[in-house]
Amino acid sequence: MSAVTKTAANSVAVILGHDLSSIDDGDVTWSDAHANFLSSLSQEEIQDLLTCSRLLVLKPRDHLFRAGDHSKDVYIVAEGCIRLFKVSPTGKETILWFNFPGELFGMAEIWSGSQRQVYAIANEATRVYSIRRQDFIKFLGAHPEAAMKAIGILSARVRALGHTLGGLASDNVETRIARLLMRFAAISSATRCSSGVNDAELCVNVRLRHQDIANLIGASRQTVTTTLLQLRKLGAVRMVDHHIHIVQADHLRCLF
Amino acid sequence: MSAVTKTAANSVAVILGHDLSSIDDGDVTWSDAHANFLSSLSQEEIQDLLTCSRLLVLKPRDHLFRAGDHSKDVYIVAEGCIRLFKVSPTGKETILWFNFPGELFGMAEIWSGSQRQVYAIANEATRVYSIRRQDFIKFLGAHPEAAMKAIGILSARVRALGHTLGGLASDNVETRIARLLMRFAAISSATRCSSGVNDAELCVNVRLRHQDIANLIGASRQTVTTTLLQLRKLGAVRMVDHHIHIVQADHLRCLF
DNA sequence: GCATGTTTGTCGCCTGGATGACAATAAACA
DNA sequence: TGTTTATTGTCATCCAGGCGACAAACATGC
């Protein structure tokens, strides 16, 4: 891993805990699927937690860990974005989710002490706080409130994964894309789109290549390209810079 | 809900905490995906937890809760089996998992205070301990060890769901069935098959209709029937009573 | 014992979407 | 500025698996 390491004790101020306003996608509130761990903690808790952390600086495409690794840390994104994905024996990549600033991840593996099941790589220039398993467990023990929040995070993830699973099993590609876009629009709604043209439209403020979307919804790149093009022709979405804007949220929603 | 309610304070003895021996399915230990919460607790913890629980008695197909409900309890299976599933707008059912004795479930929804996202119904005659949200949170606060275990359970579930998701996105039906059977063989390995014919073969000691398998792996019933038949012709599996025995685990594993 | 409901086994048809192959851009780099 | 490498757009081909429709085999209740 080509990450630079610094101590992070005093860089609490760096964290931009973006509170997520929730967007209802019909029957499910998605915001909590990416519940922001760090910003839900008190100042003291943050201080306590980050004091024993190291700050890792990652360039785009740097690996944080790979499936099979025995790394026993949990991570919190300080800045940037981490992609978590699986790779099938045939090399097909399935993205489980993206982690944005303030989000806690890597928790799932540290309990069983087993190997990591997924890959984590920086989707862009990214900085993450790395906290050793032991320190994290100690922290949770000392801060029951925080432990409850960790449970909440995991719960949200269970719900989100369940939802994705249901969608993958029953919906067609168009619907899955629609759901995905609404979901990302919800979680990136806090970071206002710089080219804030129309306030009525939702901004999917993440750089997603068609291949990423394909890996996220379990489809082929070509199908994503085609489907997205249809959606654009219909005027449901449009491209701004290199990200997607949802022009007619209703149109997407009615695909659900 | 047609469940009978009794107080459960003194029925601790009923619980058969079956310790699961782990079966390695190649690179993943599956047993922890159904980690047994109750049997991982100490006697005092069990006592504390169940004292504030109610025992619900369910007949096969009784609903414990439905998507949209506001029930705010967590549950622990005492006996029998609870099926957790989603239903798509088109009526397609996707089974997330089965809960066996000792397992804790229903945790995911109680934090956000939102509606239940899934359906929970008794797969057979089943008894579950029902614990109110407040009591459960209080319990976790008072027993940090137990809170850690709850985190472990959720972590395992996140891993399992991620695995399923990856499989659904990349594997064909045959492979998904193979994976599923190995997984169920692992979790039901504790309850020895009564008709314990051959010790070399693994027993999937759960009553699964083809429709169930289909809903579990996101396929159609017909395809499951056909695929299972192939597997039988090949001698990889066979039917005993009404459940499946894995004759050649290697054969299934090499489909992964 | 009969009737009704459930689960399994089998077909043929049909389509959503995977796959491979390229051309056309757009971005990165030297 | 020219060269290389990502990314997007398009098409023709092919097939795994969904779907409807039955028949046979079990169950279950009356």
Side-chain angles (χ1 to χ4, degrees):
Chain A
M1 180 175 65
S2 56
V4 180
T5 302
K6 311 180 197 172
T7 56
N10 294 313
S11 46
V12 178
V14 175
I15 315 298
L16 322 160
H18 60 155
D19 282 315
L20 302 173
S21 63
S22 65
I23 292 189
D24 196 317
D25 85 351
D27 56 347
V28 177
T29 296
W30 272 113
S31 61
D32 53 350
H34 277 256
N36 194 307
F37 184 66
L38 204 57
S39 69
S40 76
L41 300 179
S42 71
Q43 278 304 318
E44 303 90 279
E45 286 169 337
I46 292 179
Q47 187 67 47
D48 264 26
L49 185 57
L50 294 188
T51 301
C52 60
S53 78
R54 291 177 310 143
L55 182 64
L56 305 178
V57 178
L58 303 171
K59 296 194 296 296
R61 301 184 191 210
D62 275 350
H63 277 74
L64 186 55
F65 55 79
R66 300 158 196 262
D69 282 2
H70 285 86
S71 60
K72 292 184 174 173
D73 291 8
V74 296
Y75 305 93
I76 295 175
V77 179
E79 193 186 331
C81 173
I82 295 283
R83 184 163 93 234
L84 282 190
F85 61 96
K86 298 206 143 237
V87 177
S88 81
T90 61
K92 193 166 171 180
E93 172 177 326
T94 305
I95 301 179
L96 296 178
W97 58 71
F98 287 86
N99 292 290
F100 295 100
E103 287 176 17
L104 170 68
F105 68 98
M107 231 188 321
E109 278 95 349
I110 64 166
W111 253 261
S112 56
S114 67
Q115 304 172 333
R116 308 228 84 123
Q117 314 264 310
V118 299
Y119 294 79
I121 85 170
N123 215 38
E124 50 190 271
T126 300
R127 296 196 290 157
V128 300
Y129 296 106
S130 169
I131 299 147
R132 268 185 310 276
R133 173 201 158 92
Q134 290 310 329
D135 293 332
F136 185 64
I137 292 179
K138 203 185 300 169
F139 170 77
L140 291 185
H143 301 273
E145 295 290 308
M148 293 297 169
K149 277 163 192 156
I151 291 180
I153 301 269
L154 285 167
S155 298
R157 208 146 280 174
V158 167
R159 277 202 306 281
L161 283 171
H163 207 71
T164 307
L165 202 56
L168 187 51
S170 2
D171 302 331
N172 62 14
V173 172
E174 191 177 30
T175 304
R176 279 182 269 153
I177 290 187
R179 272 229 171 75
L180 185 78
L181 294 181
M182 290 302 289
R183 182 176 166 184
F184 269 107
I187 62 170
S188 62
S189 64
T191 49
R192 286 301 300 145
C193 174
S194 48
S195 38
V197 261
N198 194 337
D199 256 1
E201 54 189 51
L202 299 170
C203 165
V204 179
N205 207 1
V206 191
R207 221 265 151 153
L208 289 174
R209 284 160 303 138
H210 291 180
Q211 187 65 62
D212 291 328
I213 299 179
N215 296 160
L216 232 6
I217 64 169
S220 71
R221 198 229 79 221
Q222 291 92 320
T223 308
V224 171
T225 299
T226 317
T227 310
L228 227 36
L229 226 43
Q230 279 173 217
L231 252 21
R232 274 162 60 181
K233 279 180 189 147
L234 288 169
V237 305
R238 67 191 188 95
M239 300 303 296
V240 176
D241 290 335
H242 278 280
H243 62 271
I244 297 170
H245 273 208
I246 298 174
V247 183
Q248 299 173 250
D250 286 343
H251 191 297
L252 295 190
R253 246 189 293 262
C254 77
L255 291 173
F256 286 4
Chain B
M1 184 174 64
S2 55
V4 180
T5 304
K6 314 180 198 173
T7 56
N10 293 314
S11 46
V12 178
V14 175
I15 314 298
L16 322 160
H18 60 157
D19 283 315
L20 303 173
S21 63
S22 66
I23 291 189
D24 196 317
D25 84 352
D27 56 346
V28 177
T29 296
W30 272 113
S31 62
D32 52 350
H34 279 258
N36 193 307
F37 183 66
L38 204 56
S39 69
S40 75
L41 300 179
S42 71
Q43 278 304 318
E44 303 89 279
E45 285 169 337
I46 292 178
Q47 187 68 47
D48 264 25
L49 185 56
L50 294 188
T51 300
C52 59
S53 77
R54 291 178 309 144
L55 181 65
L56 305 179
V57 179
L58 302 170
K59 296 193 298 295
R61 300 182 189 212
D62 275 350
H63 276 74
L64 187 54
F65 55 77
R66 299 157 196 263
D69 281 4
H70 284 86
S71 59
K72 291 185 174 170
D73 290 9
V74 296
Y75 304 93
I76 295 175
V77 179
E79 194 187 330
C81 173
I82 295 284
R83 183 163 93 232
L84 282 189
F85 62 95
K86 300 206 140 238
V87 177
S88 81
T90 60
K92 193 167 172 180
E93 172 177 324
T94 305
I95 300 179
L96 296 179
W97 59 70
F98 288 85
N99 292 290
F100 295 101
E103 289 178 22
L104 170 68
F105 68 98
M107 230 186 325
E109 279 96 347
I110 64 165
W111 254 261
S112 56
S114 68
Q115 304 172 334
R116 307 227 87 120
Q117 315 264 311
V118 299
Y119 293 79
I121 84 170
N123 216 37
E124 49 191 271
T126 300
R127 295 196 289 156
V128 301
Y129 297 105
S130 169
I131 299 146
R132 270 186 308 275
R133 172 199 159 94
Q134 289 309 329
D135 293 333
F136 185 64
I137 292 179
K138 202 186 299 171
F139 170 78
L140 291 184
H143 302 272
E145 295 291 307
M148 293 298 170
K149 277 162 193 157
I151 291 180
I153 302 270
L154 285 167
S155 298
R157 208 145 281 173
V158 167
R159 278 201 306 281
L161 283 171
H163 207 71
T164 307
L165 202 55
L168 187 51
S170 0
D171 303 330
N172 61 16
V173 171
E174 191 177 30
T175 305
R176 291 191 326 249
I177 290 186
R179 273 231 170 74
L180 184 78
L181 293 181
M182 290 302 290
R183 182 175 166 185
F184 269 107
I187 62 169
S188 62
S189 64
T191 50
R192 287 299 302 144
C193 175
S194 50
S195 37
V197 260
N198 194 336
D199 256 1
E201 53 189 54
L202 299 170
C203 166
V204 179
N205 206 1
V206 192
R207 221 267 154 151
L208 288 174
R209 285 161 302 136
H210 292 180
Q211 186 64 64
D212 291 327
I213 299 180
N215 296 158
L216 233 5
I217 65 170
S220 72
R221 198 229 78 220
Q222 291 94 316
T223 308
V224 171
T225 299
T226 317
T227 310
L228 226 36
L229 225 42
Q230 279 174 217
L231 252 22
R232 274 162 60 178
K233 278 179 191 147
L234 287 169
V237 304
R238 66 190 188 95
M239 298 304 293
V240 175
D241 290 336
H242 278 279
H243 62 271
I244 297 170
H245 273 210
I246 299 174
V247 183
Q248 298 174 250
D250 287 343
H251 191 299
L252 294 189
R253 246 188 294 262
C254 79
L255 290 173
F256 287 3

